[in-house]
């Protein structure tokens, strides 16, 4: 199928993009890599009459880190994120997940801003964004606001982003000493979307026990979701193999009643995969934390 006709704009500044989006509102759509929006348009599941391509706005591409954390521009591609020394050092789970997205063509154009704004239930970066406790910076012509990861994903393909807001930057706080993060997924063999993917961030205290843990699951339900039961079991304990196994067994509890059952995997199989991926991700995160 082919999409409906649309007008195309390629602004070179953020101000111009924000002005266009404010002007066209619900008729307009931001296009970043285009790897989710264009397929939806070809299927006529989305029919914007105006596309605003933000690919030419260089200021949205930067990746920087300092003592306070990591800042990733919304137009940074999966390839750039996976190869960035700053990301590999400050947020290994993010580099790891970006390097596992789809194939080389998608990684070369697909962006972190597009991935989070689209909130695909099988997308990789939403789980990492949740586990690392990131923050979205969303701007309009008139101002900006920050949206914490825990408030961002609302439902299937639905986020807290307003129609005139553009994501400019994603911030990740510094994880601190003795912290480690990791991402593990069981990928669909054709698309590489997550049948089940788990991101974990673990911080260890001087005595080797877990002082903080954030774990998030993707691919299993309608949106990326924190595995809070898993986190609670880990906290305050020495992360031995049996503790990690017990915690991982609870990885899909928060998704009860919302587990996807489709041609790619049954609900029962997805729940099983969530447990296995949680065990893999938490074990790697603990190792990286020095445990
Ligand atoms: C064959 C194939 C395989 C794939 N496999 C995977 C996979 O393994 N894992 C995975 O996670 N994903 C996968 N994807 C999806 C891919 O990662 C997309 O790139 C991603 O979901 C969307 O990013 P994008 O930059 O292409 O966004 P676009 O398609 O350009 O936009 C998606 C949505 O986000 C909005 N948007 C984009 N940028 C912004 C912004 N800065 N501010 C506000 N709104 C914005 C758009 O308006 C649109 O609604 C696959 C896609 C294809 C085609």
């Amino acid at each position: 199928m082919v999409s409906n006709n649309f007008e195309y704009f390629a602004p070179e500044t953020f101000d111009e993009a924000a002005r266009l989006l404010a002007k066209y509102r619900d008729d307009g759509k931001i296009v970043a890599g285009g790897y989710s929006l264009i397929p939806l348009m070809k299927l006529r599941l989305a029919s914007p009459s105006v596309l605003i391509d933000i690919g030419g706005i260089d200021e949205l591409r930067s990746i920087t880190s300092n003592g306070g954390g990591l800042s990733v521009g919304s137009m940074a591609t999966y390839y750039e994120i996976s190869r960035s020394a700053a990301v590999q050092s400050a947020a290994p789970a993010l580099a790891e997940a970006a390097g596992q997205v789809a194939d080389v063509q998608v990684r070369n154009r697909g962006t972190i801003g597009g991935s989070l704004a689209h909130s695909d239930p099988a997308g990789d970066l939403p789980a990492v964004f949740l586990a690392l406790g990131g923050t979205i910076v969303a701007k309009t012509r008139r101002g900006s606001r920050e949206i914490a990861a825990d408030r961002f994903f609302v439902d299937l393909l639905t986020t807290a982003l307003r129609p005139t807001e553009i994501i400019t930057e994603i911030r990740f706080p510094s994880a601190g000493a003795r912290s480690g993060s990791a991402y593990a997924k069981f990928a669909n063999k054709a698309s590489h979307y997550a049948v089940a993917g788990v991101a974990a961030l673990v911080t260890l205290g001087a005595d080797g026990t877990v002082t903080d843990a954030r774990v998030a699951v993707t691919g299993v339900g309608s949106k990326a979701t924190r595995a809070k039961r898993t986190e609670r079991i880990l906290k305050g304990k020495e992360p031995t193999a049996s503790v990690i196994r017990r915690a991982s067994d609870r990885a899909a509890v928060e998704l009860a009643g919302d587990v996807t059952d489709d041609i790619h995997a049954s609900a029962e199989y997805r729940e099983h995969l969530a447990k296995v991926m949680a065990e893999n991700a938490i074990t790697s995160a603990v190792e990286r934390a020095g445990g």
Side-chain angles (χ1 to χ4, degrees), residues 151-182:
R151 290 191 295 111
F152 189 69
F153 302 110
V154 174
D155 205 341
L156 184 85
L157 305 179
T158 309
T159 70
L161 213 58
R162 296 177 187 137
T164 56
E165 284 179 328
I166 299 175
I167 302 174
T168 54
E169 179 190 347
I170 298 92
R171 294 183 186 148
F172 297 92
S174 169
R178 298 212 77 193
S179 292
S181 70

Side-chain angles (χ1 to χ4, degrees), residues 17-286:
R19 190 189 64 74
L20 286 163
L21 192 57
K23 179 176 174 189
Y24 292 104
R25 273 191 87 93
D26 294 338
D27 294 331
K29 264 285 184 202
I30 294 295
V31 61
Y35 271 120
S36 290
L37 181 58
I38 303 300
L40 285 182
M41 289 172 65
K42 287 174 134 183
L43 291 166
R44 303 263 173 141
L45 292 171
S47 303
S49 48
V50 173
L51 281 191
I52 303 157
D53 184 344
I54 56 173
I57 306 176
D58 290 338
E59 68 203 66
L60 300 181
R61 290 190 179 276
S62 76
I63 300 177
T64 55
S65 75
N66 57 36
L70 177 71
S71 161
V72 182
S74 62
M75 279 302 296
T77 63
Y78 299 116
Y79 176 79
E80 289 162 345
I81 291 167
S82 67
R83 294 301 179 99
S84 158
V87 179
Q88 287 167 4
S89 146
L94 180 59
E96 195 164 37
Q100 291 179 48
V101 170
D103 48 39
V104 70
Q105 287 92 340
V106 174
R107 289 197 293 276
N108 270 333
R109 279 195 68 87
T111 67
I112 184 170
S115 171
L116 300 181
H118 187 61
S119 182
D120 194 294
D124 294 299
L125 299 201
V128 179
F129 175 58
L130 270 179
L132 299 187
T135 304
I136 294 259
V137 179
K139 288 191 181 171
T140 65
R141 253 181 351 145
R142 297 184 194 287
S144 73
R145 67 176 176 132
E146 294 184 4
I147 312 170
D150 286 328
R151 290 191 295 111
F152 189 69
F153 302 110
V154 174
D155 205 341
L156 184 85
L157 305 179
T158 309
T159 70
L161 213 58
R162 296 177 187 137
T164 56
E165 284 179 328
I166 299 175
I167 302 174
T168 54
E169 179 190 347
I170 298 92
R171 294 183 186 148
F172 297 92
S174 169
R178 298 212 77 193
S179 292
S181 70
Y183 179 69
K185 85 164 157 177
F186 187 90
N188 177 293
K189 293 292 170 256
S191 67
H192 292 195
Y193 274 110
V195 180
V198 176
L201 170 66
V202 174
T203 304
L204 302 176
D207 62 357
T209 58
V210 176
T211 54
D212 200 11
R214 287 178 68 103
V215 178
V217 181
T218 189
V220 178
S222 54
K223 63 184 171 83
T225 303
R226 289 264 301 276
K228 293 192 176 171
R229 204 73 70 90
T230 297
E231 296 171 359
R232 277 205 291 277
I233 294 171
L234 290 170
K235 279 183 206 170
K237 301 198 186 63
E238 194 187 333
T240 59
S242 68
V243 166
I244 294 174
R245 167 76 53 89
R246 193 151 57 82
S248 302
D249 278 348
R250 315 298 285 165
V253 169
E254 278 81 2
L255 290 158
D258 182 34
V259 179
T260 309
D261 191 323
D262 63 15
I263 53 164
H264 303 298
S266 67
E268 191 188 1
Y269 186 44
R270 273 200 165 82
E271 280 178 296
H272 169 73
L273 288 175
K275 295 175 188 177
V276 178
M277 294 305 120
E279 194 173 345
N280 292 349
I282 295 166
T283 302
S284 296
V286 167

